[in-house]
Amino acid sequence: MDIQQKTMDEYPTRKDSTPALLYRRHPVVWGSGEGGPYTADEIASYASTGYVQTEALLSADEVEAYSSELRRLSEDPDLRRDERVVVERSSDEVRSVFEVHKVSEVFADLVRDPRVVDRARQVLGGDVYVHQSRVNYKPGFGGGDFWWHSDFETWHAEDGMPAPRAASISIALTDNHAHNGALMVMPGSHKTFVSCVGETPEDHHRSSLKSQEVGVPDKHSLAVLADMYGIDVLTGPAGGATLFDSNVMHGSGGNITPFPRSNIFIVFCSVDNACVEPFAAPKPRPEFLGARDFTPVK
């Protein structure tokens, strides 16, 4: 599919020498919030906090089946040589597998599962495509941290996503505890866009997948948001799921416990919010990080 031309930049970032906190210019919930898996109360909570949790999306048997597929992928020697696989900074253990719905038919079926995609359709107000999919591993005794960030800042700057009309669903394949690197969010922070400093280098993705330095919110802005909104730690059992807004500030600590943490992340974007040329990068990132195929999930 042809890449569209750049539109007006309503969320400028990486263009100034000082950071800024900008008001969000677009809705959080784009549909009526009716006719989907979420209740009206859950939709209202999502609009307010930027996330909503489901305790039991998958059955125990399904969790085991998807976990088995994760083990197969992590042990595949051919896949380990693929650029879609990222290993830990401090070890050779797999950290992430990107474009997992194209690597594995098992996960392709999960993307199309109405229990998954209908949640995104309900919040985003219609048809969606997969902007990115990945598996994040946090092995015991050494799973690395993910610094605070807004996904939309990167997707806007480097992929050309015009508006924050996108959401990620994180599906837990292990119990997510407060002590093994569970996702942390600043509830309500999705209403503020943090403009970052620093020009995007050529092929920035090669280094940012292991340790991001450009597109990282400044500590003062993070402190302001944390003071305003606080921090929620999103714990939950294996099989549970969290849908969160593309602009919510989130991160996770390292895992020094014996208990691994594995989650599947699928990023859905509205087909009416298809990416254009990057707003603050020399060229788009590779397709396994930011899709240029905007075909709706069916």
Side-chain angles (χ1 to χ4, degrees):
M1 185 174 293
D2 291 338
I3 298 174
Q4 302 173 31
Q5 295 300 308
K6 187 184 296 185
T7 59
M8 182 180 71
D9 189 355
E10 297 184 279
Y11 298 95
T13 185
R14 310 189 195 184
K15 296 176 179 178
D16 206 337
S17 58
T18 57
L21 298 176
L22 308 176
Y23 287 110
R24 181 184 182 123
R25 300 170 64 91
H26 292 89
V28 178
V29 177
W30 292 75
S32 65
E34 300 175 354
Y38 293 123
T39 66
D41 286 345
E42 287 174 321
I43 289 294
S45 178
Y46 179 87
S48 173
T49 65
Y51 74 91
V52 60
Q53 292 187 281
T54 302
E55 186 170 327
L57 182 72
L58 303 180
S59 69
D61 287 344
E62 288 174 315
V63 168
E64 178 52 41
Y66 290 121
S67 297
S68 176
E69 180 69 356
L70 285 189
R71 289 191 292 271
R72 184 188 71 80
L73 293 177
S74 66
E75 295 167 1
D76 185 334
D78 292 330
L79 190 59
R80 289 289 287 262
R81 293 189 288 270
D82 194 298
E83 67 174 344
R84 292 174 290 188
V85 175
V86 180
V87 298
E88 288 286 355
R89 297 189 297 269
S90 58
S91 70
D92 196 39
E93 292 194 72
V94 173
R95 176 184 176 95
S96 301
V97 178
F98 284 87
E99 214 170 44
V100 72
H101 71 295
K102 292 188 177 181
V103 170
S104 165
E105 189 58 37
V106 172
F107 290 116
D109 289 341
L110 181 62
V111 166
R112 296 187 290 263
D113 191 315
R115 294 174 297 174
V116 175
V117 68
D118 282 355
R119 284 174 156 74
R121 290 186 182 123
Q122 184 180 7
V123 166
L124 300 178
D127 282 338
V128 295
Y129 70 93
V130 177
H131 179 72
Q132 185 190 100
S133 71
R134 66 189 186 277
V135 177
N136 281 352
Y137 299 86
K138 278 206 177 180
F141 297 126
D145 62 278
F146 288 85
W147 186 252
W148 291 105
H149 64 286
S150 153
D151 289 327
F152 175 63
E153 193 280 339
T154 294
W155 300 340
H156 182 71
E158 299 188 42
D159 299 337
M161 185 179 289
R165 193 175 178 179
S168 298
I169 188 165
S170 168
I171 304 172
L173 296 183
T174 57
D175 292 344
N176 281 217
H177 303 290
H179 51 258
N180 71 340
L183 191 71
M184 298 183 290
V185 304
M186 297 183 188
S189 61
H190 61 303
K191 300 171 186 175
T192 302
F193 178 77
V194 180
S195 178
C196 300
V197 300
E199 187 175 343
T200 309
E202 187 82 22
D203 293 327
H204 180 230
H205 70 279
R206 297 189 185 280
S207 60
S208 67
L209 291 179
K210 292 189 177 183
S211 179
Q212 187 166 348
E213 295 181 3
V214 176
V216 174
D218 65 289
K219 293 180 180 179
H220 176 71
S221 294
L222 290 173
V224 169
L225 293 179
D227 185 59
M228 289 175 62
Y229 300 115
I231 295 173
D232 288 352
V233 183
L234 305 188
T235 60
T242 301
L243 186 80
F244 60 98
D245 181 81
S246 59
N247 191 50
V248 73
M249 193 62 65
H250 64 287
S252 61
N255 182 15
I256 62 172
T257 76
F259 310 112
R261 195 208 79 170
S262 297
N263 289 58
I264 306 162
F265 287 83
I266 305 164
V267 179
F268 293 106
C269 185
S270 168
V271 295
D272 295 324
N273 191 44
C275 291
V276 295
E277 287 295 314
F279 288 89
K283 62 183 178 181
R285 296 188 301 169
E287 289 217 18
F288 71 88
L289 295 174
R292 313 307 286 187
D293 178 354
F294 313 126
T295 304
V297 175
K298 298 295 185 183

